[in-house]
Amino acid sequence: MLSIIVQSVLALPASLTSRQSATIPSYVIDYAPLVWLYSTEQYMPGDIGAQLVNTWPETNFSIVAGVPTPLTLDNLNDLNTLTPSGGEIYLTSIDDITTNPVWLNGVKPDSTGKTDGASSCAIIVNDHGSGLVDAYYMYFYSFNLGNTVLGMVIGDHVGDWEHNMIRFQDGVPQAMWFSQHSFGEAFTYNAVEKQGQRPISYSAVGSHANYAITGTHDHTIPGLNLPFALLLEDHCDQGTLWDPTLSAYTYSYDPATAVFTPYVPGTPTNWLYYTGAWGDEQYPLSDPRQKEIFGISLTAKYQSGPTGPEDKQLNRTDVCPTGESCVVSPVLTARKT
């Protein structure tokens, strides 16, 4: 069994004091992840703002009244006050997604790694004080293609937010978190693959879950990459290289006030306070587009879109999200294929 480093080594100091700077720390960009997209990936990174052009807000499958016109990244948070009876708002595709409208495909990075014309990443920096800084690299995709189970694709949804987080101490990277579906994995910075000093993240085809190594990953058991196939598999390879920093919004985050501050004046910010979902609500079985395996809701072909960055625990004690057992492995584990 591989040895592990218990995350307490990298835990926060007892006193948390916000020390957000006026300019983004250079090391946050210098050590930012590079992302390998799968060689046959159809659903590339998407433009965050374009999602609002191609959707309308619904709750309980009805269009929400009183929505600002036009809906933009500057007023998206206004939707938080429009939810009747505390219901959740879903940014619902105007088009029937079974027709695969072209906007779901996103923008393929060019030869420099840039998603030209599409702002597809948000970098959020939380300075905890005492030299301890967490940088969140939030990746947006317009559509998530699920996994195939018993011959049926399950888990498709409009909108997809994934992320890496790097913990720095005095400007030196210590550990890196890879989000994978409902959980993920953490490794020391020294352990992960790199291009120069920049760590590598592999985006799984369709689901965009982030992995530290290429190849096949069984994620039937959350947080574990098994050396054999069970039921749910992700696949990664070195297809198209994406540099998310080239088309990113950048912000600091103050956990004491829950306030986001853009590093670049004029950058849209209010969208970060939106608490609803970035895609359709899971269709009921009465919808002819919907299918389930043995009538189990968790196996639905079309599932609800995700919430955004504000719901990704931006003030963690450990590298992993709060409430989960957290270990940081010093060794990459690979599955032989």
Side-chain angles (χ1 to χ4, degrees), residues 261-303:
T261 302
Y263 285 111
V264 179
T267 300
T269 303
N270 287 338
W271 66 274
L272 287 166
Y273 300 105
Y274 169 61
T275 58
W278 284 76
D280 297 29
E281 184 173 3
Q282 179 169 323
Y283 306 150
L285 269 178
S286 58
D287 189 314
R289 297 172 295 181
Q290 186 64 287
K291 298 178 182 178
E292 295 176 357
I293 298 176
F294 305 129
I296 301 172
S297 179
L298 290 175
T299 68
K301 174 173 176 56
Y302 295 109
Q303 299 182 5

Side-chain angles (χ1 to χ4, degrees), residues 48-49 51-53 55-57 64-82 89 91 249 251 266-276 278:
I48 299 169
Q51 197 77 355
L52 310 187
V53 176
T55 61
W56 51 39
V64 176
V67 173
T69 304
L71 189 62
T72 69
L73 294 180
D74 289 316
N75 61 22
L76 182 62
N77 60 318
D78 289 352
L79 297 183
N80 296 341
T81 65
L82 300 179
I89 286 184
L91 297 180
Y249 297 129
Y251 308 89
T267 300
T269 303
N270 287 338
W271 66 274
L272 287 166
Y273 300 105
Y274 169 61
T275 58
W278 284 76

Side-chain angles (χ1 to χ4, degrees), residues 30-43:
D30 293 342
Y31 291 99
L34 293 168
V35 180
W36 278 111
L37 303 166
Y38 198 71
S39 54
T40 60
E41 179 63 68
Q42 178 178 352
Y43 301 108

Side-chain angles (χ1 to χ4, degrees), residues 11-229:
L12 301 180
S15 176
L16 300 181
T17 303
S18 176
R19 291 175 171 83
Q20 308 300 329
S21 63
T23 58
I24 190 167
S26 59
Y27 56 81
V28 170
I29 302 300
D30 293 342
Y31 291 99
L34 293 168
V35 180
W36 278 111
L37 303 166
Y38 198 71
S39 54
T40 60
E41 179 63 68
Q42 178 178 352
Y43 301 108
M44 295 290 177
D47 181 74
I48 299 169
Q51 197 77 355
L52 310 187
V53 176
N54 294 297
T55 61
W56 51 39
E58 290 189 0
T59 184
N60 296 321
F61 304 102
S62 296
I63 297 176
V64 176
V67 173
T69 304
L71 189 62
T72 69
L73 294 180
D74 289 316
N75 61 22
L76 182 62
N77 60 318
D78 289 352
L79 297 183
N80 296 341
T81 65
L82 300 179
T83 53
S85 303
E88 186 169 8
I89 286 184
Y90 295 83
L91 297 180
T92 304
S93 175
I94 297 171
D95 301 303
D96 179 358
I97 64 172
T98 64
T99 65
N100 199 33
V102 66
W103 64 270
L104 294 181
N105 296 335
V107 176
K108 184 175 182 178
D110 62 21
S111 60
T112 69
K114 181 179 181 180
T115 51
D116 194 32
S119 296
S120 46
C121 175
I123 302 174
I124 301 171
V125 179
N126 184 353
D127 186 342
H128 298 286
S130 301
L132 192 62
V133 171
D134 289 340
Y136 295 82
Y137 304 87
M138 300 284 179
Y139 313 134
F140 181 72
Y141 304 83
S142 300
F143 188 74
N144 176 101
L145 182 67
N147 295 127
T148 300
V149 176
L150 300 178
M152 188 180 90
V153 176
I154 67 172
D156 289 356
H157 54 79
V158 175
D160 193 18
W161 281 103
E162 300 289 347
H163 71 279
N164 289 120
M165 187 267 265
I166 298 179
R167 174 157 289 181
F168 296 89
Q169 181 64 54
D170 299 321
V172 179
Q174 304 296 309
M176 183 170 174
W177 169 256
F178 296 77
S179 72
Q180 300 161 2
H181 305 282
S182 61
F183 192 59
E185 296 178 289
F187 297 91
T188 62
Y189 171 77
N190 288 337
V192 300
E193 292 182 20
K194 303 172 190 68
Q195 182 169 306
Q197 64 186 8
R198 297 182 65 177
I200 296 296
S201 183
Y202 290 94
S203 175
V205 61
S207 76
H208 311 122
N210 295 295
Y211 292 93
I213 54 175
T214 189
T216 301
H217 307 270
D218 188 288
H219 62 94
T220 306
I221 301 176
L224 291 179
N225 287 331
L226 300 176
F228 50 85

